[in-house]
Amino acid sequence: MSSAFEVRGGNRLKGEIVPQGAKNEALQIISAVLLTADKVTISNIPDIVDVNLLIELLGDMGVKTNRISRDTCEFQADQINLPYLESAEFKKKSGRLRGSVMIAGPLLARFGKAYIPKPGGDKIGRRRLDTHIIGFEKLGVQFVYDNDDNYFRLEAGDGGLKGAYMLLDEPSVTGTANIVMAAVMANGTTTIYNAACEPYLQQLCKMLNSMGANINGIGSNLLTIQGVSSLKGCSHAMLPDMIEIGSFIGLAAMTRSEITIKNAGVEHLGIIPEKFRQLGINLEIRGNDIYIPEQDSYEIQTFLDGSILTISDHPWPGFTPDLLSIVLVVATQAKGSVMIHQKMFESRLFFVDKLIDMGAQIVLCDPHRAVVIGLGRQHALRGITMSSPDIRAGVSLLIAALSAEGKSTIQNIEQIDRGYQYIDERLRKLGADIKRI
């Protein structure tokens, strides 16, 4: 298996690209098939490692899976092998995948028990499960943490799950999703305040309602769920991946390319297009497509009083933390300066040393903040050998390499493959010089 990309930068790219289905939505939606014994058909599934591992894990648990095509799959969870959840193989497999935590809510709702591994996945700081576990506790779940195998064993109390009021400590997307999936079949009413309201979560709630759930307040931070006794099957199409869309906007600007992003699900992008416009990037919304013209220079806006622009992450409808590393790399060739403030994770900015090695002007103030002094294309970044620490930083480094002079080698591309399907093939179609080695 290839473990590195070799990139020769400097090519201007041109053409159309279609974003994959949303990774963050997929992990929730595919877990939700466990809520019913009926057939569930899901389309626009991204063909990426994290999602394929989850589908494989469900298959091992006894879910029948029929992959009609690489982006469409039928699931039927009518014969779940519950003893398998206590096996060493399940612990090993689920421990490799952070998304496996999402099966806990559906398993608790339907079978009254679940097992959660401590999170795997990215090296982007601590990822706490507190929101999930505390929410489950409010619904009447008891848990034991096993230090020997790093596992949470969860069980519903006598009489099953019971609806409750809860005010979440943080609007965690995965935490909200997991609690919602547990609550849809709890006895009584569950109210979740300070709920996440990202499009991924709205999609999950709409899918659950189509299966017979009773969820109100979708799109707000106050969800009210009336428990029902059972759910039926459904068909569901996933949204385009907003992180890929943002990455392609950044790529076009950095490489002075003319790119059209087709079927971009524009109405679900929130503030994302506006944040790239603040960097001086021209983009046009054409129906459901985004057109980025070839642009020789772009200038970062300032605040009205002339002070340096700050771009920070915030729970939806604020700016997603997954795109901050993309904004940071794009700012390296802009005119002007910007402060990037990563509030939600404490080590996502540690990849900037690679950009500095490539010639970017960046001051890392602390684990959460970096100031980028744009080069304004006075000189190009230079190609280097580097390693990808996490999914989003990996793609940021790939964008830097595609805009740089000379050859770059990006190692540990398994991290990129976890989140972006066939990324090298799709970029080559636009004219990029990239190959796996």
Side-chain angles (χ1 to χ4, degrees), residues 29 39 66 134 149 152 207 225 294 337 342 422 429:
I29 294 291
K39 188 183 290 184
N66 175 25
I134 293 167
D149 52 13
F152 291 97
M207 171 184 169
I225 303 163
E294 189 177 313
S337 302
Q342 167 66 273
Y422 331 128
K429 286 177 182 168

Side-chain angles (χ1 to χ4, degrees), residues 268-436:
H268 303 287
L269 294 178
I271 205 170
I272 291 170
E274 186 52 39
K275 286 295 170 189
F276 284 100
R277 288 186 176 116
Q278 287 180 351
L279 295 178
I281 297 169
N282 292 330
L283 55 94
E284 295 172 25
I285 308 294
R286 296 179 171 178
N288 204 28
D289 302 340
I290 300 175
Y291 170 73
I292 305 102
E294 189 177 313
Q295 198 172 344
D296 276 330
S297 66
Y298 47 98
E299 185 168 356
I300 299 168
Q301 296 174 8
T302 59
F303 287 120
L304 290 174
D305 63 0
S307 58
I308 288 178
L309 181 71
T310 298
I311 294 182
S312 57
D313 56 343
H314 196 270
W316 192 269
F319 191 57
T320 171
D322 284 344
L323 280 173
L324 273 186
S325 50
I326 305 290
V327 164
L328 188 150
V329 78
V330 173
T332 62
Q333 283 295 4
K335 291 178 182 171
S337 302
V338 63
M339 162 81 82
I340 304 295
H341 190 175
Q342 167 66 273
K343 298 173 185 174
M344 292 164 74
F345 299 104
E346 65 273 357
S347 50
R348 266 203 178 169
L349 297 179
F350 287 172
F351 76 99
V352 300
D353 57 337
K354 283 98 167 170
L355 296 175
I356 293 166
D357 288 347
M358 296 177 82
Q361 294 185 317
I362 303 169
V363 179
L364 186 61
C365 310
D366 57 42
H368 291 275
R369 294 177 304 157
V371 174
V372 183
I373 299 104
L375 298 170
R377 302 213 199 270
Q378 294 300 306
H379 57 83
L381 299 181
R382 55 184 172 269
I384 63 166
T385 296
M386 51 197 155
S387 181
S388 166
D390 67 70
I391 298 176
R392 309 307 174 187
V395 169
S396 302
L397 296 173
L398 179 55
I399 291 171
L402 288 163
S403 74
E405 281 182 350
K407 183 179 84 172
S408 294
T409 304
I410 303 175
Q411 296 161 345
N412 194 26
I413 57 171
E414 294 87 353
Q415 286 288 356
I416 299 174
D417 286 333
R418 283 183 50 223
Y420 293 79
Q421 68 181 18
Y422 331 128
I423 189 68
D424 49 330
E425 293 172 31
R426 293 155 78 205
L427 291 173
R428 274 197 296 274
K429 286 177 182 168
L430 294 175
D433 188 343
I434 176 173
K435 65 181 179 185
R436 289 176 185 261

Side-chain angles (χ1 to χ4, degrees), residues 19-272:
Q20 68 189 29
K23 167 186 178 275
N24 290 349
E25 179 185 340
L27 298 174
Q28 301 169 23
I29 294 291
I30 291 169
S31 298
V33 306
L34 291 166
L35 285 163
T36 178
D38 293 353
K39 188 183 290 184
V40 176
T41 305
I42 300 173
S43 57
N44 202 26
I45 299 172
D47 191 6
I48 54 177
V49 174
D50 275 12
V51 171
N52 292 334
L53 277 175
L54 180 60
I55 293 172
E56 188 183 311
L57 185 67
L58 291 180
D60 292 342
M61 290 166 56
V63 178
K64 299 184 184 82
T65 59
N66 175 25
R67 203 99 184 225
I68 297 167
S69 63
R70 289 316 294 172
D71 75 343
T72 303
C73 190
E74 291 176 342
F75 299 88
Q76 189 155 11
D78 56 349
Q79 290 179 311
I80 297 299
N81 179 4
L82 290 175
Y84 174 74
L85 302 179
E86 298 183 54
S87 69
E89 187 190 345
F90 174 78
K91 289 169 185 172
K92 184 181 174 188
K93 266 197 171 177
S94 59
R96 285 166 53 203
L97 173 66
R98 172 164 174 79
S100 64
V101 72
M102 300 309 304
I103 66 177
L107 287 173
L108 285 167
R110 195 158 153 224
F111 303 107
K113 60 163 100 174
Y115 303 86
I116 302 183
K118 278 188 81 173
D122 284 343
K123 292 180 183 173
I124 53 169
R126 292 171 297 113
R127 296 222 183 182
R128 295 182 297 119
L129 290 176
D130 299 44
T131 306
H132 302 248
I133 303 289
I134 293 167
F136 292 152
E137 280 189 303
K138 292 267 173 66
L139 297 174
V141 172
Q142 295 166 327
F143 79 92
V144 177
Y145 181 63
D146 187 329
N147 281 309
D148 292 338
D149 52 13
N150 288 340
Y151 247 69
F152 291 97
R153 288 173 162 69
L154 306 165
E155 253 181 71
D158 295 338
L161 301 181
K162 295 180 175 63
Y165 172 86
M166 59 188 84
L167 173 58
L168 302 188
D169 181 44
E170 57 175 0
S172 158
V173 177
T174 53
T176 304
N178 227 345
I179 295 163
V180 165
M181 289 190 283
V184 287
M185 290 198 282
N187 294 312
T189 303
T190 300
T191 305
I192 307 172
Y193 197 22
N194 197 27
C197 52
E198 272 77 353
Y200 317 126
L201 201 96
Q202 295 177 38
Q203 284 282 98
L204 173 68
C205 291
K206 288 172 185 171
M207 171 184 169
L208 294 173
N209 277 354
S210 76
M211 294 168 74
N214 185 351
I215 306 171
N216 287 298
I218 298 172
S220 78
N221 68 348
L222 180 62
L223 295 174
T224 307
I225 303 163
Q226 245 3 97
V228 296
S229 58
S230 64
L231 297 179
K232 60 182 192 292
C234 72
S235 294
H236 177 83
M238 283 193 262
L239 292 177
D241 195 309
M242 67 169 88
I243 315 303
E244 255 213 354
I245 292 162
S247 303
F248 295 148
I249 294 171
L251 169 71
M254 272 291 273
T255 56
R256 311 185 209 195
S257 301
E258 181 187 352
I259 293 175
T260 301
I261 304 167
K262 302 291 288 182
N263 305 323
V266 171
E267 65 178 301
H268 303 287
L269 294 178
I271 205 170
I272 291 170

